[in-house]
Structure formats: structure tokens, C-alpha cells
């Protein structure tokens, strides 16, 4: 991505999907992004600067090979939708409960557990956990006190007896 994109200070939507990128452009903090789509690339790690995009409401990073996201990204105050399907994520950090997430897609990763704080996100309505490595149902499956659409396709265990 050419550096001149950072001269577009009012840029709100950045779609750089399916470009065989191995890194995200920096410095992103000068942008007023509300949505970034970098899905279908070859990005294993995103820069910590992404956590400074306080207006960011939607992050689409599916099919990359992401190993982790900086904790600051999991605490973005405006984040409503995250699609991190088909990566290599092994954990979601605690502290996520402060995000106003409505939709979280973390299917087809390497997750074995979820933070209990995930159940405290009162805005969460759609959670896709399918194709991970859970040995038992995550606690949110059995303890959600409100209506959440939870998808757990391709997950082998007995749910909440």
C-alpha cells in the first residue's frame, strides 16, 4: 500500500483484501477509519498502531494466518464487528468485555478456550466459534443470560447436559 494513503486524513473505509500482503500499512493512527478489510492476505501479525484507531467499528481479517492481535485491538471502544475466521489464533485475551461487540467470528482458528469476560459483553448477539479445538463447550455456550446466536459447526462434543 502506497504511503500516500496516509495523506487521506478523512478516509473511513480501507479495503485491501485479497492482495497477497504480508504486512498492514503504518502509520494508521493518522486515519479516521471506521472499517478495515484486510481479509484474504498473508498477514501473520498486525501492528499495535491498529489499537489506536478508536473510531474503528469493523475489522475484517479473515484468511490471513494471524497468530495474534495486539491486546489494544481487543479493547477498541467502538468495535462492533470482528471477522477473524480462518487464521491461527490460539487465544482471545481477557479485557474484551469493554468492547461493544455485536458480532464476533473466530471460526476455524486454534482456540481451545475463551475468556469468561466474553459472556459479559451485553451487546454481543452473534458468535461463530466453529472449527476450533475446544475439548468442552466454552462457558458462554451454557451461561449466556441473553439471546446470542452461537455457531459451533464442526465441533465434536456434547453440549450442556
Amino acid at each position: 500500500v502506497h504511503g500516500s494513503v496516509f495523506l487521506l486524513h478523512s478516509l473511513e473505509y480501507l479495503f485491501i483484501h485479497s492482495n497477497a500482503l504480508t504486512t498492514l500499512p503504518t502509520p494508521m493512527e493518522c486515519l479516521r477509519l471506521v472499517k478495515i478489510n484486510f481479509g484474504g492476505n498473508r498477514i501473520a501479525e498486525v501492528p499495535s498502531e491498529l489499537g489506536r484507531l478508536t473510531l474503528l467499528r469493523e475489522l475484517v481479517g479473515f484468511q490471513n494466518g494471524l497468530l495474534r492481535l495486539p491486546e489494544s485491538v481487543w479493547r477498541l471502544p467502538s468495535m462492533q464487528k470482528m471477522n477473524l475466521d480462518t487464521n491461527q489464533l490460539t487465544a482471545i485475551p481477557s479485557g474484551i468485555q469493554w468492547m461493544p461487540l455485536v458480532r464476533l467470528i473466530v471460526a476455524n482458528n486454534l482456540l481451545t478456550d475463551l475468556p469468561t469476560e466474553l459472556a459479559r459483553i451485553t451487546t454481543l448477539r452473534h458468535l461463530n466459534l466453529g472449527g476450533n479445538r475446544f475439548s468442552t463447550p466454552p462457558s458462554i455456550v451454557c451461561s449466556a443470560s441473553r439471546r446470542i446466536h452461537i455457531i459451533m459447526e464442526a465441533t465434536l462434543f456434547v453440549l450442556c447436559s
Side-chain angles (χ1 to χ4, degrees):
V1 177
H2 193 274
S4 61
V5 74
F6 301 111
L7 299 175
L8 304 171
H9 296 290
S10 60
L11 185 68
E12 292 184 354
Y13 301 93
L14 181 61
F15 293 84
I16 51 176
H17 55 85
S18 303
N19 280 294
L21 298 174
T22 56
T23 59
L24 282 178
T26 56
M28 273 196 248
E29 64 267 15
C30 63
L31 302 176
R32 299 182 51 81
L33 291 178
V34 294
K35 180 175 182 176
I36 183 169
N37 182 335
F38 59 92
N41 283 291
R42 298 180 187 150
I43 298 169
E45 190 173 338
V46 299
S48 61
E49 289 89 358
L50 193 66
R52 294 187 197 139
L53 299 176
T54 58
L55 301 175
L56 195 62
R57 292 190 310 248
E58 187 170 352
L59 183 142
V60 179
F62 62 86
Q63 295 177 347
N64 267 291
L66 289 171
L67 302 171
R68 59 177 287 283
L69 287 180
E71 287 203 27
S72 59
V73 173
W74 293 105
R75 292 186 171 114
L76 284 167
S78 301
M79 185 64 66
Q80 297 174 1
K81 299 177 184 176
M82 293 181 88
N83 181 346
L84 299 168
D85 188 2
T86 314
N87 280 292
Q88 304 294 313
L89 299 173
T90 57
I92 296 174
S94 58
I96 191 173
Q97 75 267 21
W98 306 115
M99 292 173 64
L101 277 174
V102 174
R103 176 181 297 261
L104 177 60
I105 302 171
V106 288
N108 303 306
N109 277 282
L110 304 174
L111 299 173
T112 57
D113 199 11
L114 294 173
T116 57
E117 292 88 353
L118 194 59
R120 294 187 197 130
I121 302 176
T122 59
T123 53
L124 189 62
R125 296 294 176 257
H126 179 92
L127 179 61
N128 189 333
L129 301 170
N132 278 288
R133 297 184 175 181
F134 300 110
S135 58
T136 59
S139 61
I140 191 169
V141 173
C142 300
S143 67
S145 59
R146 68 200 169 285
R147 175 169 241 145
I148 300 176
H149 183 208
I150 299 173
I151 300 172
M152 294 199 67
E153 298 168 346
T155 305
L156 303 172
F157 49 71
V158 178
L159 291 177
C160 308
S161 52

